[in-house]
Amino acid sequence: MSTEEIRQEQQFITGLYTRLDQLREQAEESVRGALVQVGSGFQARVERDVQVAEQSGLLRAIHAGENGLCFGRLDFRDGRTYHIGRIGIRQDDPSRTPMVIDWRADMARPFYLATGHSPMGLRRRRHLTTEGRTVTALHDELMDLSDPTRTGHEGADADEVLLATLDAARTGRMHDIVRTIQAEQDRIIRAPHQGVMVVEGGPGTGKTVVALHRAAYLLYEHRELLARRAVLIVGPNPAFLGYIGDVLPSLGETGVLLATIGELFPGVRATGTDSPAAAEVKGRAAMAGVLAKALRDRQTVPERATEIDHDGYGTLQLDRAMAEDARLRARECGLPHNLARPVFAFHVIDALTAQLAERIGADPFGGPNLLGPGDIAQMGKEIATSREVHAAVDELWPQVTPQEFVADFLADPVHLDDGSAGLIRRQGGAWSEADVPLLDEAAELLGEDDSAARAAAEAERQERIAYAQGVLELSAGSETYEFEDEESEVLAAHDVIDAERMADRHEEADRRSAAERAAADRTWAFGHIVVDEAQELSAMAWRLLMRRIPTRSMTLVGDPAQTAETAGLGSWERILEPYVGDRWEHVRLGVNYRTPAEIMEVAAGFLRAHDPSFVPPGSVRSTGVRPWALRVAADGLAVAVAREAAAARDGGRVAVVAPAALHASLLAELPDAGHGPAPDLTRDVVLLDARQAKGLEFDTVLVVEPAEYGVSDLYVALTRATQRLGVLHTGELPGALGGLADAG
């Protein structure tokens, strides 16, 4: 094997990192210069600017480059040679060919699509393996067999690099796949930005990582739009978000918000839990209408006339007819409840003013009212400031927050007449994930009356203007040095700027990233949304998401066969028909890169016993290791699990997937295991339930008490392993779990 080829590639990599070091020094010098210019008083602001800079542009590229920047090379028949990497790096002379081509550029496509049958102009494709800044291996694929040149690094198996990657030990974090993107994956990643794309695939088909690389590609291809609007990645649980959290940053992309549905209502963090039945009720599409009816019930009219004492003029009567007319006018205006409240109040005040005007200004001889328009207007102002009038309006048309409204609704779930009210009725407690779409629906129905906030902002602005005016007046009166008997030509501050412009110039800018601003703004419209495990979301959750993407630019990832949530819609048609009809694209990934054939045979046999039409994805590799089952005594289960986990740790990371009711006893024997709502997946052993395990993968998986799982949950648990699968049980195994070797 030629060491000269490795030496040449090492020389290139060394030069590449020298260039990166130069770019880093330039960036750091720019930061130091900015600090000097603004002075120490603005240190915090500049440091914040630096943090934003690190999330975009040059510094982002530098940080990404430290993680194995260059991984490939393309040698074309016409003599052109391009290195391919996670991000593009230009030479110091922009007119020259870039040192590294970004994997997302069109020029890089032959690295993923070229074959011997369709070489796309290539004579050779090279894969580089690096550790830090050191080249450790090369793998060359010949596209042109007539080319006599040989490097000594040609591989007999074109999939050698892919298989080596799949066999590598897991780290507890998902890695990017830019080195091994397959042709079917590349077509999905580079699909057009607009519209809805559904990426369906069984366990291990790479649908999640493909969707993440699609997000990275779209951020590259539509940088200006998506950097401004941000991309939202929605995951099923915090453990999953932690697992995928390094993928986009490793590709130089951080302008992305990762969240669960329970984190998409600003100011609320869903930590409570619902029974599956309660979550199903809360997730029904009909809940939108139920909440709307409940809100209309808050818009009341008095059964009997409400007496309002008005100083000096006796008692006014707010009767049912007056309130009904005001309510009708407010509802007809088409505004949400809180925004329509001033309309209701105006008509109430107008009716009371007319009543008072008729009482005071009535002509005893039947003539026209003796009060003029000015007198009546003054009466209206007095009534509008009456505490009694405000109290009456508050009672009949109260201003309500989404949290208050939903809490009241859950305490008394009116308009649920199918017997399901008891399932969701509760007093207080933490918000659950199923509550968040209800809060979002309530916010839409209520609207946000920001008049007080706008008034406060304007008052603050007027204070800044007044302060600026004082500064200008002070500068105008200060001593200046002029030539005697000549008109001074020295310009003072007030000659070039007025107080209002000066105040606006010094207003504190919003320096948050687009993702940070989006996280704090319920009405934010994202540029693109990726939803993982999309089949699990309820109809109400989809209403929430669709409000955040009016352009319907989405990538939906999932597998209906893995639907476990009772509230989940499962079918793509049921999810999308209300929003885009049949105007969506569906692609299916059919190759299983994660699960060895031996494990997939067991998992597929189990699911096929419940659904004879099920067709599993085909596994690309076999380990020769059969999955096994071990029956133990009930009082020895935790000890047996701990023993097997300890034995498996030498082979990589271990996941113990067990029903939540067993976690306490298992933790007693596994004190160092990662566990909880957001477990540390980098621990050698992690304890999860089946729902937490969705989308994750481990070298070894131990499934505990499989008979206590639902069909979908057990199928998920069985397909998390990349190398070895074991099943521990105290009772009889489910009959469909054939093919397990007896480890007893």
Side-chain angles (χ1 to χ4, degrees):
M1 182 174 291
S2 171
T3 59
E4 177 61 20
E5 291 290 331
I6 292 182
R7 189 193 66 80
Q8 291 178 4
E9 292 294 358
Q10 182 63 63
Q11 186 176 17
F12 171 80
I13 293 295
T14 300
L16 176 62
Y17 279 103
T18 298
R19 175 64 176 152
L20 282 177
D21 291 338
Q22 292 172 349
L23 294 174
R24 179 185 288 106
E25 291 175 3
Q26 293 171 8
E28 291 173 348
E29 181 61 33
S30 297
V31 170
R32 286 192 293 269
L35 287 171
V36 171
Q37 288 179 4
V38 301
S40 59
F42 290 86
Q43 177 89 18
R45 182 185 302 176
V46 173
E47 289 176 350
R48 178 65 185 132
D49 289 348
V50 172
Q51 292 175 16
V52 174
E54 289 178 340
Q55 295 175 357
S56 60
L58 182 61
L59 292 180
R60 183 187 64 227
I62 292 172
H63 291 316
E66 292 294 343
N67 183 24
L69 169 63
C70 184
F71 55 81
R73 194 180 87 181
L74 298 176
D75 294 350
F76 287 86
R77 290 174 179 171
D78 60 9
R80 290 176 298 144
T81 297
Y82 299 122
H83 281 85
I84 310 299
R86 286 181 171 80
I87 44 91
I89 296 294
R90 292 193 172 277
Q91 311 249 20
D92 51 4
D93 180 358
S95 65
R96 298 170 61 191
T97 301
M99 295 184 74
V100 177
I101 303 297
D102 193 299
W103 67 275
R104 296 165 286 191
D106 283 341
M107 196 178 298
R109 293 205 76 181
F111 188 78
Y112 302 111
L113 300 183
T115 64
H117 183 265
S118 179
M120 300 178 72
L122 290 182
R123 67 181 184 86
R124 185 186 310 276
R125 173 169 52 205
R126 168 168 289 177
H127 299 266
L128 284 75
T129 302
T130 59
E131 291 183 7
R133 300 186 176 196
T134 302
V135 178
T136 59
L138 304 178
H139 177 84
D140 288 341
E141 295 179 63
L142 287 178
M143 299 290 112
D144 182 2
L145 296 179
S146 65
D147 185 348
T149 305
R150 295 292 184 270
T151 66
H153 296 276
E154 289 78 15
D157 187 350
D159 293 327
E160 181 179 320
V161 175
L162 171 63
L163 293 174
T165 301
L166 297 178
D167 283 331
R170 270 34 191 178
T171 65
R173 292 287 184 268
M174 178 180 281
H175 294 297
D176 62 69
I177 58 168
V178 289
R179 298 180 67 232
T180 58
I181 293 173
Q182 303 300 293
E184 66 170 356
Q185 297 171 333
D186 185 80
R187 284 188 286 272
I188 296 170
I189 289 169
R190 298 175 191 266
H193 169 228
Q194 295 298 326
V196 177
M197 170 170 278
V198 173
V199 182
E200 182 180 333
T205 54
K207 53 188 180 296
T208 296
V209 72
V210 166
L212 293 174
H213 284 67
R214 173 164 163 74
Y217 172 77
L218 294 177
L219 283 162
Y220 170 85
E221 192 73 6
H222 306 279
R223 175 71 62 196
E224 183 177 352
L225 170 65
L226 296 184
R228 185 174 67 251
R229 299 309 313 165
V231 172
L232 172 64
I233 310 288
V234 179
N237 54 59
F240 175 84
L241 295 181
Y243 177 62
I244 69 171
D246 291 342
V247 174
L248 289 169
S250 76
L251 301 173
E253 300 296 349
T254 55
V256 176
L257 175 63
L258 277 69
T260 65
I261 289 293
E263 297 168 332
L264 288 179
F265 192 87
V268 168
R269 183 58 63 98
T271 59
T273 57
D274 280 313
S275 68
E280 188 276 326
V281 173
K282 292 179 180 180
R284 295 174 184 171
M287 286 299 296
V290 170
L291 291 176
K293 290 178 182 178
L295 183 58
R296 287 175 71 89
D297 288 347
R298 303 292 287 266
Q299 303 163 359
T300 60
V301 296
E303 290 296 328
R304 294 179 299 176
T306 300
E307 295 186 349
I308 299 174
D309 184 34
H310 191 61
D311 292 343
Y313 298 104
T315 300
L316 299 176
Q317 299 286 327
L318 175 56
D319 60 28
R320 184 182 182 89
M322 294 164 59
E324 285 181 341
D325 180 68
R327 182 174 67 177
L328 178 63
R329 301 290 186 89
R331 287 176 174 175
E332 287 180 340
C333 77
L335 294 172
H337 173 88
N338 286 338
L339 301 184
R341 184 175 182 274
V343 178
F344 177 81
F346 171 80
H347 286 287
V348 167
I349 292 168
D350 192 49
L352 293 174
T353 302
Q355 183 183 119
L356 182 59
E358 183 177 355
R359 178 188 303 173
I360 296 175
D363 186 345
F365 300 104
N369 195 295
L370 300 177
L371 298 176
D375 298 321
I376 296 175
Q378 182 59 37
M379 287 181 183
K381 291 179 180 178
E382 293 175 358
I383 291 175
T385 60
S386 167
R387 290 184 178 180
E388 288 79 4
V389 172
H390 279 275
V393 170
D394 286 340
E395 182 178 351
L396 300 177
W397 195 290
Q399 182 158 318
V400 189
T401 69
Q403 290 90 329
E404 292 169 341
F405 175 65
V406 175
D408 289 345
F409 170 77
L410 293 176
D412 183 18
V414 295
H415 303 297
L416 281 175
D417 52 7
D418 60 353
S420 58
L423 294 173
I424 66 171
R425 182 178 287 110
R426 73 159 189 253
Q427 295 284 347
W431 296 111
S432 69
E433 184 163 294
D435 291 332
V436 168
L438 302 185
L439 290 167
D440 198 71
E441 189 73 28
E444 287 292 303
L445 295 170
L446 293 167
E448 182 179 358
D449 184 0
D450 62 350
S451 57
R454 284 188 284 108
E458 179 59 24
E460 183 179 344
R461 182 171 180 271
Q462 292 302 322
E463 288 181 7
R464 290 198 306 271
I465 293 174
Y467 176 79
Q469 185 64 48
V471 171
L472 292 175
E473 290 173 355
L474 184 63
S475 67
S478 62
E479 182 179 7
T480 60
Y481 295 91
E482 305 173 5
F483 292 102
E484 188 176 355
D485 298 329
E486 292 184 16
E487 183 178 354
S488 173
E489 295 183 357
V490 177
L491 291 176
H494 60 272
D495 294 317
V496 295
I497 189 170
D498 59 29
E500 185 171 355
R501 281 185 291 173
M502 183 177 180
D504 290 343
R505 180 174 295 180
H506 288 83
E507 182 179 1
E508 184 68 25
D510 188 346
R511 301 179 186 277
R512 294 173 298 172
S513 68
E516 289 171 325
R517 285 182 281 125
D521 184 355
R522 192 194 67 82
T523 63
W524 188 272
F526 288 91
H528 191 78
I529 292 181
V530 176
V531 185
D532 205 295
E533 302 293 350
Q535 76 282 351
E536 303 285 10
L537 269 58
S538 70
M540 290 299 292
W542 283 110
R543 287 176 65 86
L544 177 154
L545 283 180
M546 291 299 179
R547 293 187 188 105
R548 286 152 174 77
I549 189 71
T551 62
R552 302 295 189 257
S553 176
M554 307 179 78
T555 303
L556 310 184
V557 178
D559 179 12
Q562 296 184 60
T563 305
E565 297 292 343
T566 309
L569 295 183
S571 161
W572 303 121
E573 289 77 9
R574 291 181 62 197
I575 290 170
L576 294 171
E577 194 278 331
Y579 304 102
V580 297
D582 59 357
R583 301 182 305 279
W584 48 280
E585 183 179 357
H586 179 268
V587 293
R588 181 170 179 84
L589 296 170
V591 178
N592 188 333
Y593 298 99
R594 176 206 302 145
T595 317
E598 294 84 355
I599 296 177
M600 199 61 212
E601 182 181 355
V602 172
F606 167 76
L607 197 56
R608 196 179 291 113
H610 296 84
D611 178 8
S613 65
F614 171 69
V615 178
S619 297
V620 299
R621 64 196 177 98
S622 173
T623 61
V625 180
R626 284 184 62 192
W628 51 265
L630 176 64
R631 185 169 185 173
V632 297
D635 58 0
L637 178 62
V639 172
V641 170
R643 182 184 65 246
E644 296 299 335
R649 289 172 68 169
D650 290 341
R653 282 177 169 75
V654 181
V656 176
V657 183
L662 298 178
H663 283 201
S665 61
L666 291 173
L667 282 172
E669 300 295 334
L670 297 167
D672 296 329
H675 66 282
D680 181 359
L681 298 177
T682 64
R683 296 282 186 92
D684 290 342
V685 179
V686 181
L687 177 61
L688 307 164
D689 63 34
R691 303 291 172 90
Q692 287 180 300
K694 270 184 172 290
L696 308 182
E697 60 183 22
F698 302 87
D699 299 289
T700 299
V701 172
L702 302 176
V703 178
V704 182
E705 296 290 37
E708 297 188 21
Y709 292 93
V711 173
S712 176
D713 285 341
L714 183 52
Y715 179 60
V716 168
L718 293 172
T719 54
R720 299 304 98 194
T722 65
Q723 300 292 338
R724 295 165 294 277
L725 171 68
V727 175
L728 294 97
H729 58 107
T730 59
E732 294 295 330
L733 278 176
L737 272 185
L740 290 173
D742 185 0

